[in-house]
Amino acid sequence: MSDMTAVPKAIAGPSSYLDDRIGAGTFLKRNMRKIFPDHWSFLLGEIALYSFIILLLSGTFLTFFFKPSMMHV
C-alpha cells in the first residue's frame, strides 16, 4: 500500500469500529450509488442540466445589456 492511499490509524480505528457497530459502510455504499449512478443514460440528464445552467447564466448576463427600442436594425 502506498503512502498516499494509506489511511491513518487515528481514522481507520474509529471508522472500522463504527462500521462494525452500526453498519454505516453498507448504508453509505448503497446511498452513494444512488447519488452517483454509473449507467450511461444518466449522462443525458447531466448534459440537459448543464445546458440549462448555461442558458440561465447567459440569459442573466444578457439582460444587463438589453436596450429595448423600436428602431429598425
Side-chain angles (χ1 to χ4, degrees):
M1 196 176 213
S2 88
D3 291 335
M4 295 299 290
T5 60
V7 179
K9 230 179 210 185
I11 296 172
S15 65
S16 64
Y17 173 75
L18 284 174
D19 186 34
D20 291 341
R21 294 286 289 172
I22 61 175
T26 56
F27 174 75
L28 286 175
K29 190 183 297 184
R30 183 179 65 225
N31 287 326
M32 290 301 279
R33 287 193 51 80
K34 291 179 183 175
I35 295 172
F36 302 108
D38 58 352
H39 195 262
W40 67 269
S41 65
F42 286 94
L43 178 66
L44 301 175
E46 289 180 14
I47 291 171
L49 174 69
Y50 297 142
S51 299
F52 183 67
I53 289 171
I54 290 171
L55 177 78
L56 286 177
L57 291 175
S58 63
T60 304
F61 177 75
L62 289 173
T63 57
F64 293 121
F65 301 104
F66 178 71
K67 292 185 177 85
S69 78
M70 295 297 290
M71 291 177 42
H72 290 281
V73 179

